[in-house]
Amino acid sequence: MTERHPAPGLLSQVIGHGAHAISVTTLSASTPNKTPGPAWYIREVASCDVSVIVPTLNEERALPDLLRDLQRQTGVRLEVLVADGGSDDATAAVVESFDFARVVACDRGRGRQMNRAAREALGTYLCFLHADTRVPSDGLLSAACDTMTAEQRA
């Protein structure tokens, strides 16, 4: 399923089925005591394949599972931006414990949070996930990236 957005140069596609589906959007135009980043992760890269954006508000319990799933992804260069809308729990501390993820502090409101993080994203593709999302396959984001790249070439 592919759809054009009103903004020129944006293309969105849902990859997967049911509870395991993710939406990927295409754009045209290390600290001690942290969980080490996966092999594909390079801090402060100029670009990456996929920017994963997770809007949060008090998600300290759900977020670690998602971050561990993202840490296991293979075949794709990721950046993970957790757009926090002012959590008063340990959400930011959870994010900071994973070397490959970073908090983007912003005003509360899912749309505002996603937009704020999207402005900072470096990826060719944007992937928006809820904090309680599970990514069951280690190659899911790589497959999504390959599908979107093939779609653009067609």
Side-chain angles (χ1 to χ4, degrees), residues 129-149:
L129 299 176
H130 292 277
D132 62 355
T133 301
R134 297 305 309 267
V135 184
S137 166
D138 294 351
L140 183 62
L141 292 179
S142 176
C145 202
D146 292 345
T147 299
M148 292 297 292
T149 301

Side-chain angles (χ1 to χ4, degrees), residues 4-66:
R4 289 243 171 241
H5 289 273
L10 289 183
L11 181 69
S12 181
Q13 184 164 11
V14 175
I15 308 294
H17 297 71
H20 302 296
I22 61 172
S23 175
V24 179
T25 300
T26 305
L27 299 176
S28 62
S30 215
T31 304
N33 302 322
K34 287 192 172 192
T35 304
W40 46 257
Y41 177 77
I42 303 169
R43 180 157 304 276
E44 298 178 13
V45 293
S47 69
C48 60
D49 298 323
V50 179
S51 294
V52 177
I53 297 172
V54 184
T56 59
L57 183 63
N58 299 324
E59 294 288 356
E60 71 178 342
R61 295 180 74 187
L63 198 53
D65 289 335
L66 173 60

